[in-house]
Amino acid sequence: MRAVRLSILLLAAAASAGAAGCATLPACPAKGGPRWRELTTRNVTLRTDLDETEARETIRRLEEIRAALLAVFWPGAAPPAVQTNAVAMRSIRELTAFTRDPHSPPQVWGFRRTDPPFEPIITFAGTDARSFRVLVHELVHDLSSWYVPIQPAWFAEGFATFLETAAYDRETGVFEFGRPASERARSSLGGPFRAAVLLD
């Protein structure tokens, strides 16, 4: 049942992909490809072919950032009545084969797809810093679309792009966002800054 459900979700997620591209997806597990696994917490379901350690770290990051975003931006609201569904592919090469992104380097590093009656789903690749920003970006779309179902594109993308800078430090418990990605931009602003200052 889970394998069928995963196949349906992956097909729904790929519906927006273009027709170009010549890369191939990895072999299925029965033919020596990476094993797929499903991890579920109270708020997140993750389907992935990452190894177990990376899969557990990825779902933990999803939970941490999700909780922080809800606490900061929707503190008095009831939590979403649905789980966050995510598919994390092992690499950008695998995602590129899946989406058939014809660009080199690839332009599609992740996306969120909604195709009723299927559940909304976030798809992204890898576990590096860029992949983490994509994970956060798509998670912001997932949460904000629950609380603000009708959004102009400029708002939806602007909000997600700003908040993809979010970072959570497990040791200190600090949730930070708004820090530029590049060292040049960071030094020109003199370091981290508060969202209230930026939006004032």
Side-chain angles (χ1 to χ4, degrees):
M1 180 65 174
R2 283 186 176 173
V4 172
R5 186 174 174 217
L6 175 59
S7 298
I8 291 171
L9 287 170
L10 288 172
L11 286 172
S16 64
C22 59
T24 58
L25 288 168
C28 67
K31 296 195 175 183
R35 177 179 169 234
W36 280 82
R37 64 190 83 241
E38 180 179 282
L39 286 74
T40 302
T41 64
R42 181 178 176 185
N43 302 304
V44 179
T45 296
L46 175 68
R47 298 166 183 95
T48 183
D49 63 345
L50 292 169
D51 65 42
E52 188 168 357
T53 301
E54 290 182 321
R56 291 190 182 283
E57 174 64 16
T58 299
I59 198 168
R60 186 176 178 189
R61 283 181 165 188
L62 277 162
E63 277 283 3
E64 289 170 346
I65 295 296
R66 184 182 188 277
L69 290 170
L70 291 174
V72 171
F73 292 98
W74 299 282
V82 295
Q83 279 201 321
T84 294
N85 289 285
V87 172
M89 296 194 176
R90 183 175 289 264
S91 66
I92 186 59
R93 183 177 177 204
E94 187 174 318
L95 181 66
T96 299
F98 178 68
T99 60
R100 299 188 181 277
D101 182 352
H103 304 95
S104 183
Q107 291 186 4
V108 179
W109 279 70
F111 56 92
R112 178 181 183 270
R113 184 77 182 172
T114 305
D115 285 307
F118 301 111
E119 304 161 337
I121 191 166
I122 297 169
T123 304
F124 58 96
T127 57
D128 62 10
R130 181 169 183 175
S131 299
F132 181 67
R133 289 175 74 94
V134 171
L135 175 157
V136 176
H137 183 102
E138 301 306 333
L139 183 57
V140 170
H141 281 309
D142 197 53
L143 295 174
S144 67
S145 65
W146 174 263
Y147 293 106
V148 188
I150 300 173
Q151 302 179 21
W154 64 265
F155 172 82
E157 285 305 318
F159 191 48
T161 299
F162 175 65
L163 290 182
E164 74 183 25
T165 61
Y168 175 72
D169 188 321
R170 289 176 189 155
E171 292 184 10
T172 64
V174 172
F175 175 62
E176 179 184 65
F177 57 90
R179 181 176 292 202
S182 73
E183 290 299 325
R184 183 183 303 170
R186 186 177 302 144
S187 62
S188 70
L189 290 167
F193 55 93
R194 296 186 180 276
V197 174
L198 178 70
L199 301 173
D200 188 9

